Amino acid sequence: MSSGFRLLTTPLLLWSFLSLSLFSSASIINHAAGSRLLLRAVNSGGDQPDFALDLNATNFDAVLKDTPATFAIVEFFAHWCPACRNYKPQYEKVARLFNGANAVHPGIILMTRVDCANKINTNLCDKFSISHYPTLFWGPPSKFVGGSWNGKDEKSKIVSIEDGRTSDRLLKWINTQLGSSYKLEDEKYENDELFQSNFSDPGQIARAVYDVEEATSLAFDIILENKMIKQETRATLIKFMQLMTAHHPSRRCRRGSADILVNFDDLYPSNILSPSEKNNTQHGGLTKFEICGKEVPRGYWMFCRGSKNGTRGFSCGLWVLLHSLSVRVENEESQMAFTSICDFIHKFFACEECSQHFYNMCSRVSTPFTTTRDFVLWLWTAHNEVNERLKSTEALYSTGDPKFPKSIWPSRHLCPECYTTARDGDWDREEVYKFLGRYYGQMLVSLYMEKEKSLFGQAQMKIRAVSDDLIQSTNALVVPVGAAVGIAVASCLFGALACFWRSQQKNRKYFHKPQLLKIV
């Protein structure tokens, strides 16, 4: 076969190989998705539950890829090893602080273990050069995905934990790495540095993307549990889900919302008449769908975590969702987004007094929004109005969060340029708009972006390795002409179809035309 034809077929082969690899990886992740449920309920039965998460070769990459934790610890052990069995209670004491829905310090470290005595994990343990048990590694979760360790790469973000043979020593090692002061005796809502940094550190908003997923999932659980989907509320829910499908900051929530919308007419037909039909539909409808994927809800809050039970949490996550939607809509969508959010809160937010107050604020708007800027600033003003109202009520009944008192936002520390004078309330609205766009836009999804960048870099390295193998091979791979042409044609058709579908979705982003909000 001529060298020219080899040059033609090699890119096609690479494309085919990459497509098959991605399809295979997606299948593995979907197969392993159920294992991620353990993040929020780790062996809940029994008197002494396991808090560390057991991983194996089939779910190792998937779990570490999707965890919201900033760092991960992986313990490689063998179930037959006496030292490993003795070490397990020590490891569990530390894992109790960080893993599961009732974690003392959730979302910071994911503590996992891999049994190298299980044959399915042989290759995985070899990749990390495991020569003795137990062996502990520390690093960002994304660095473990498809990664390896041989102890020679000084630039590796994966670090071997050499001094963690007891729970005290392991926690001391963690505190040294994080500059924290966690203790084995810590209880939930106490001694948590996270509470001291939420307001002062603008980067904390990156953790809220997981709270937005949590709030989205919880909101739809409430809707289903209270059977709130009725003939008169059906259109409102569809409009809000269309907004989320287009602009939710979480890709998996966008995907889940789209999946529900595709099936919505079958699940909740518009011609529901009899109460019996309605009840049957309510019970068998959306319950089989996970709007933000199988791993959500996780059972805990990160950015929106209160310093005591019953504070922040869902309400905080919902506000972040609304702000993140507002900064993502286009000018021509601003009025539709406004009416969708107002109607959704009015009809689906179960706190009657809160929903009515919010809708009253909506009703004071007499002129339709024509720009994203005006809509973003209105929602910001509304949020501060709510804070002012709740501040006095919480002070009267002592129901507020002492570490997160209601206040006018953003603070001078977060956005000094937002203030025109030394007096609170003198705003530079243009600077406020820019800040909100950054804060709820790029900063909110920065953790997602960092993970995707890391994983993309790893994928690129694998592709280059495959390409080098093909080019350097002395035995050139021969592909029939028909197969090569077929791959090329399929590639072109797929690209054309994707472009067509994208244009159609953009033109049909909303089924309902914008309307002025009815004054109540």
Side-chain angles (χ1 to χ4, degrees):
M1 183 175 291
S2 68
S3 60
F5 184 74
R6 289 171 186 163
L7 290 174
L8 172 66
T9 57
T10 297
L12 295 173
L13 285 170
L14 287 174
W15 175 86
S16 179
F17 175 84
L18 179 59
S19 300
L20 290 172
S21 298
L22 291 175
F23 177 80
S24 175
S25 298
S27 300
I28 291 174
I29 290 174
N30 287 335
H31 174 74
S35 66
R36 295 196 290 273
L37 296 175
L38 294 174
L39 292 177
R40 59 181 183 273
V42 186
N43 294 345
S44 57
D47 296 331
Q48 294 181 333
D50 287 349
F51 294 98
L53 185 61
D54 286 303
L55 301 181
N56 58 52
T58 65
N59 62 11
F60 185 84
D61 283 356
V63 171
L64 288 165
K65 173 181 176 290
D66 286 330
T67 179
T70 308
F71 297 98
I73 295 178
V74 181
E75 177 201 2
F76 290 95
F77 73 103
H79 62 259
W80 50 258
C81 166
C84 297
R85 290 197 294 266
N86 293 333
Y87 181 63
K88 182 178 178 180
Q90 301 293 317
Y91 194 65
E92 287 292 331
K93 286 181 182 179
V94 181
R96 177 191 73 86
L97 300 176
F98 302 106
N99 278 20
N102 294 316
V104 183
H105 309 293
I108 299 171
I109 304 170
L110 176 67
M111 297 190 62
T112 69
R113 57 163 63 96
V114 175
D115 185 359
C116 292
N118 187 338
K119 289 186 178 181
I120 196 175
N121 298 323
T122 299
N123 291 335
L124 177 61
C125 295
D126 286 345
K127 287 171 60 179
F128 287 89
S129 307
I130 305 302
S131 59
H132 61 275
Y133 308 116
T135 296
L136 277 67
F137 288 116
W138 161 281
S142 62
K143 298 301 180 182
F144 286 97
V145 178
S148 61
W149 187 87
N150 58 18
K152 299 178 181 179
D153 186 357
E154 296 181 356
K155 296 182 179 180
S156 175
K157 296 293 182 69
I158 298 176
V159 179
S160 175
I161 301 176
E162 301 297 340
D163 188 19
R165 294 305 184 219
T166 67
S167 55
D168 289 314
R169 287 160 65 180
L170 177 57
L171 191 57
K172 180 180 178 181
W173 192 94
I174 291 171
N175 283 329
T176 300
Q177 293 293 312
L178 299 180
S180 53
S181 56
Y182 301 132
K183 300 179 179 64
L184 294 173
E185 299 78 23
D186 284 355
E187 296 297 333
K188 201 169 184 180
Y189 305 109
E190 295 180 4
N191 303 317
D192 194 338
E193 286 82 359
L194 179 62
F195 296 142
Q196 307 302 322
S197 60
N198 257 356
F199 281 146
S200 60
D201 181 7
Q204 285 290 335
I205 189 64
R207 301 164 66 84
V209 69
Y210 300 104
D211 291 344
V212 171
E213 293 177 337
E214 197 80 7
T216 303
S217 178
L218 182 55
F220 279 82
D221 282 346
I222 293 172
I223 289 172
L224 294 178
E225 289 171 3
N226 292 279
K227 298 181 174 62
M228 302 172 77
I229 305 176
K230 305 173 183 177
Q231 195 165 7
E232 61 271 22
T233 62
R234 183 179 179 277
T236 294
L237 184 59
I238 289 174
K239 286 167 58 179
F240 189 72
M241 292 191 67
Q242 290 169 346
L243 180 64
M244 292 203 302
T245 299
H247 299 298
H248 199 290
S250 164
R251 180 186 292 107
R252 50 188 158 217
C253 294
R254 292 197 300 271
R255 187 185 302 120
S257 299
D259 191 23
I260 292 173
L261 277 177
V262 168
N263 294 277
F264 201 87
D265 282 338
D266 294 331
L267 298 170
Y268 298 93
S270 58
N271 60 348
I272 296 176
L273 297 177
S274 69
S276 60
E277 285 182 275
K278 186 185 300 183
N279 288 337
N280 289 337
T281 305
Q282 290 282 357
H283 283 296
L286 295 180
T287 53
K288 66 179 181 179
F289 290 89
E290 292 94 3
I291 192 167
C292 292
K294 292 181 181 296
E295 65 273 19
V296 182
R298 298 176 182 88
Y300 59 82
W301 304 95
M302 295 174 63
F303 174 84
C304 287
R305 185 178 178 218
S307 65
K308 64 178 185 178
N309 283 318
T311 60
R312 305 191 80 215
F314 178 55
S315 59
C316 167
L318 193 58
W319 271 115
V320 177
L321 170 62
L322 299 184
H323 285 297
S324 68
L325 292 172
S326 72
V327 301
R328 286 171 169 78
V329 300
E330 299 173 6
N331 287 334
E332 60 270 19
E333 300 172 309
S334 55
Q335 179 63 22
M336 171 56 70
F338 167 70
T339 57
S340 297
I341 287 174
C342 288
D343 289 341
F344 179 80
I345 296 297
H346 184 51
K347 294 181 179 179
F348 291 105
F349 193 63
C351 173
E352 183 178 4
E353 181 180 350
C354 301
S355 66
Q356 190 58 50
H357 274 294
F358 190 87
Y359 203 73
N360 288 341
M361 291 189 297
C362 295
S363 300
R364 295 201 299 265
V365 177
S366 58
T367 305
F369 290 107
T370 57
T371 66
T372 303
R373 177 186 182 277
D374 289 344
F375 174 45
V376 168
L377 291 176
W378 173 84
L379 187 62
W380 161 71
T381 302
H383 195 168
N384 274 333
E385 183 177 329
V386 171
N387 281 349
E388 281 287 285
R389 178 175 61 83
L390 293 179
K391 180 179 180 179
S392 57
T393 304
E394 291 178 352
L396 178 63
Y397 297 106
S398 300
T399 55
D401 190 321
K403 291 189 179 292
F404 298 98
K406 294 291 188 296
S407 61
I408 296 299
W409 191 89
S411 65
R412 290 182 183 276
H413 180 87
L414 277 176
C415 184
E417 62 273 16
C418 291
Y419 293 78
T420 56
T421 68
R423 188 177 66 178
D424 288 346
D426 289 342
W427 301 105
D428 184 330
R429 295 176 69 86
E430 190 59 35
E431 289 299 328
V432 171
Y433 173 61
K434 292 177 183 178
F435 169 79
L436 293 171
R438 293 192 306 269
Y439 195 75
Y440 291 110
Q442 292 181 341
M443 292 177 68
L444 177 65
V445 297
S446 60
L447 280 182
Y448 270 1
M449 294 169 63
E450 288 173 9
K451 286 188 176 183
E452 289 177 355
K453 182 178 179 181
S454 174
L455 295 173
F456 179 75
Q458 294 170 16
Q460 289 290 93
M461 292 176 63
K462 291 182 180 180
I463 294 171
R464 283 196 294 269
V466 172
S467 177
D468 291 342
D469 288 344
L470 285 172
I471 294 172
Q472 295 173 7
S473 175
T474 56
N475 298 318
L477 191 59
V478 178
V479 178
V481 175
V485 173
I487 292 173
V489 172
S491 177
C492 294
L493 288 175
F494 179 79
L497 181 62
C499 291
F500 173 76
W501 183 88
R502 177 67 177 169
S503 64
Q504 289 295 100
Q505 292 301 308
K506 187 173 182 180
N507 293 333
R508 298 154 67 185
K509 187 174 288 183
Y510 298 111
F511 300 137
H512 298 269
K513 303 232 179 250
Q515 298 177 359
L516 287 176
L517 184 67
K518 183 179 178 181
I519 307 298
V520 296

